[in-house]
Structure formats: C-alpha cells, structure tokens
Amino acid sequence: MAGRSHIEWVFDYLTGIRGKIAIALYIAVANGFLLLIYKGPLYQVAVRACFLGFTFGCGLLISFGQTTWTHFGWYMSSLSFFHYSEYLVTAIINPRSLSLDSFLLNHSVEYTVAAVSSWVEFTVEKLLIPDLKQLRWLSFVGLLMVLFGEGLRKSAMLTAGSNFNHIVQNEKAQSHVLVTSGVYSCCRHPSYVGWFCWSVGTQVMLCNPVCVLAYALASWRFFRERIEEEEISLIHFFGDEYVEYKRKVRSGLPFIQGIRVGS
C-alpha cells in the first residue's frame, strides 16, 4: 500500500503546477547535459532516445496510479517503446542502414495526423462519454494485440537480420538473401502484420471506436500498396524462388495477396 500511495502522490504532484515546472526544468537540464556530451548526429539520437525514455516512464507512472487515464498510460509506454525499439533493433541487425529515420518518429504526415487524431478522440470522448473509456476488458484486449504485434514485428526484424530495411530496396545487395524461416514460414510479411496488429491494438486499448476503424482501413490500404511494391522488387531479386515461396505462404494480412504473377 505504501508503494501504491507513493505512486499516486508522484502522479498528483507531476500533474500540478509545480510538477509541470519540474518537468520543464528536467527537460531543459537533460537537453543541456546532452549538448555537453554529444555533438551533431549523436546529439540528435540522444535527445530522441531521452524523450522516448521520459515518455515511457511517464506512461508507467500513469499506468500504476489510481486515475481514469490508466489506459492512456499503457498507450504512452507502448508508443514510446515501439519507436525506441525500432531504432535499437535496427542498430543490432543492420547498422549500415541506421539513421535518425530508424526511430520512425517522422514516418509521414499521415502517421502524425493519425497519432494526433487518436489523442483528440480519446480526450473528447473521455469528457463526453467517460464510461466508454473505462471498459477495462476491452483495453486489456488492445494491450494483448499491442504485445503480440510488437513481438511479431521485432521477431521478423531479428529473423531477417541485415536483410531488413525500413525502406523498400530497388537494388539487391550482395548479402541480400530470401528469408523463409522462423516467422517468415508462417506469413510472407510478418513485420507488416505485426505493425498492423500493433497500430489497431493501440486504438482498441484507448477504446477509440472511430480510430479503430480508421486505423484498420488506412493501415490495410497502406500495406496493400507497400506489399505490392516490395514484391515486385523481391521477384526481380529472387525470381522463381520467391514466386514459389509466394505460392506456399500467405501474406499474413486479410484480403491482401500481393503482386499477381502468372500461374
């Protein structure tokens, strides 16, 4: 009980005026400290990692506090962990392709609009229909979707190793091989399936009915086009080997067959 009351006290303090001032001072001091240690690109990496770590910690604090924002805390931790782990795993498996873009924080304008839209919907519905945001069982289902999607995507990245890249490749590297083992034996595009499940799961977690539907449709359309584009390159790289693999293993996403090839 003592630990629980302490968490609640910290949450109440940080959401007050003094807490907000403390957060602002913390960010300023941390940023200044990073500027002293790192220069140029390393500073850019460090400040993003620091921001994501801070957001993850705030999410945990909200998650364990007695507040109606608990599920938003789950979301904050899930979102920050996803972006940080994208960079970390890329650094492990394919350091040559590593860049600031590996965080996927600047993925696209559409991605940013989608994120902001989910925050707006959560806040508006929490004010107008507060009971909708307290469906704990539904949020738990969303959390399971997030964990499954995150695990599947990172498993796909680790299995693919240096063959994985956030950008669809138009030229085949000498080290590029067709990966068909592990999670790739279950579906052709496990990283996309994982991201799809993760993204929709975040909105189920927040009990955002509008964004659940919007995320599902937008993600499905994006991956349908992405898979077709990627498979054109893969057929060009591996020829009949990929065509045979494609015939045996499904894409993993519903109603998406990928690029059509002659029988």
Side-chain angles (χ1 to χ4, degrees), residues 2-202:
R4 189 179 183 86
S5 61
H6 177 69
I7 291 175
E8 293 169 11
W9 178 85
V10 173
F11 175 79
D12 290 339
Y13 175 78
L14 291 179
T15 53
I17 296 177
R18 292 183 178 180
K20 292 176 181 177
I21 294 175
I23 291 174
L25 288 174
Y26 167 80
I27 293 174
V29 171
N31 188 59
F33 184 69
L34 292 175
L35 277 171
L36 290 175
I37 299 178
Y38 302 107
K39 303 295 181 183
L42 286 179
Y43 167 74
Q44 297 295 329
V45 172
V47 76
R48 284 164 174 76
C50 184
F51 167 74
L52 291 171
F54 178 76
T55 303
F56 182 83
C58 289
L60 286 182
L61 182 64
I62 296 173
S63 299
F64 289 104
Q66 279 193 334
T67 169
T68 57
W69 291 80
T70 297
H71 306 140
F72 197 82
W74 296 2
Y75 168 81
M76 289 174 63
S77 295
S78 300
L79 186 65
S80 54
F81 181 83
F82 170 80
H83 286 288
Y84 179 78
S85 61
E86 285 291 307
Y87 185 91
L88 177 62
V89 174
T90 301
I92 295 172
I93 64 172
N94 195 4
R96 290 185 177 181
S97 69
L98 193 66
S99 69
L100 288 176
D101 292 339
S102 300
F103 280 110
L104 297 184
L105 288 170
N106 57 337
H107 181 270
S108 64
V109 174
E110 291 81 4
Y111 183 82
T112 302
V113 170
V116 174
S117 297
S118 71
W119 307 338
V120 171
E121 181 184 353
F122 181 86
T123 304
V124 171
E125 290 176 349
K126 189 176 185 304
L127 293 173
L128 300 179
I129 322 172
D131 291 342
L132 176 64
K133 301 305 178 184
Q134 300 307 310
L135 299 176
R136 191 172 183 83
W137 67 270
L138 185 59
S139 292
F140 187 71
V141 169
L143 178 61
L144 293 178
M145 292 176 65
V146 165
L147 293 175
F148 172 78
E150 180 74 47
L152 180 59
R153 179 168 173 83
K154 296 310 182 290
S155 295
M157 293 174 69
L158 291 169
T159 301
S162 61
N163 297 285
F164 183 89
N165 199 301
H166 284 120
I167 302 173
V168 175
Q169 301 298 290
N170 296 318
E171 295 183 6
K172 181 183 177 182
Q174 292 183 347
S175 60
H176 202 173
V177 298
L178 179 61
V179 180
T180 60
S181 60
V183 290
Y184 286 87
S185 64
C186 301
C187 58
R188 298 197 306 272
H189 302 280
S191 66
Y192 296 160
V193 176
W195 195 346
F196 179 85
C197 187
W198 175 87
S199 64
V200 176
T202 60

Side-chain angles (χ1 to χ4, degrees), residues 167-241:
I167 302 173
V168 175
Q169 301 298 290
N170 296 318
E171 295 183 6
K172 181 183 177 182
Q174 292 183 347
S175 60
H176 202 173
V177 298
L178 179 61
V179 180
T180 60
S181 60
V183 290
Y184 286 87
S185 64
C186 301
C187 58
R188 298 197 306 272
H189 302 280
S191 66
Y192 296 160
V193 176
W195 195 346
F196 179 85
C197 187
W198 175 87
S199 64
V200 176
T202 60
Q203 300 312 299
V204 175
M205 181 194 299
L206 292 176
C207 301
N208 281 352
V210 176
C211 279
V212 166
L213 181 60
Y215 270 49
L217 291 175
S219 297
W220 185 88
R221 290 187 62 184
F222 172 79
F223 287 125
R224 182 189 62 181
E225 296 174 1
R226 176 88 173 210
I227 285 174
E228 289 183 355
E229 178 186 358
E230 183 173 306
E231 290 192 343
I232 290 174
S233 295
L234 290 170
I235 291 174
H236 176 69
F237 293 166
F238 303 107
D240 292 340
E241 184 182 4

